[in-house]
Amino acid sequence: MLFETNPQVDIHEMSPLALAFVGDAVLELLVRARLVGTTRLQPNQLHTSATRYVSARAQSRELEILEPLLTEAEANVLRRGKNASKASVAKHATVQEYRASTGLECLLGWLYLQGRLDRVQQLFDALWAGYRPQ
């Protein structure tokens, strides 16, 4: 099932980049669902609008909204994600923005894989309310 998770690997042993891989998809799905549910945009406009929320630069700014809301455990996962090394960096983002976006994705993946969908939704709602794409 789409929203049920039962990882066979201990979540504490997962790579932050593996968690970010999942978190990227979680954020993308939440943004797309919210845009479809709140606008009447055409598909190409939906894609353009979605990228304003899921780009590395946008995620870095969104993280500024969310960081004060995080628990200590969530902040630790975020830090692990930010410190994870990647071989490449996005074309349109700084290294700091890219690391912050990886941290946010890591956090969302960690929460999702624990089945903490209520917390994912709570953070996403705060992000949606506080972030204005440019």
Side-chain angles (χ1 to χ4, degrees), residues 32-82:
R32 287 178 180 219
R34 185 68 56 98
L35 286 172
V36 167
T38 59
T39 69
R40 292 180 184 252
L41 298 173
Q42 297 299 313
N44 64 331
Q45 295 170 316
L46 284 168
H47 174 74
T48 300
S49 292
T51 58
R52 291 184 181 135
Y53 286 90
V54 299
S55 70
R57 179 166 285 147
Q59 289 179 20
S60 176
R61 291 188 188 119
E62 292 161 358
L63 190 55
E64 293 172 10
I65 295 165
L66 298 181
E67 279 187 291
L69 307 175
L70 301 182
T71 66
E72 185 177 338
E74 292 167 346
N76 288 337
V77 171
L78 172 67
R79 195 169 17 267
R80 280 183 62 212
K82 282 182 172 182

Side-chain angles (χ1 to χ4, degrees), residues 1-7 112-115 117:
M1 165 123 325
L2 181 61
F3 294 109
E4 291 179 14
T5 61
N6 187 15
Y112 174 81
L113 290 173
Q114 289 183 79
L117 303 181

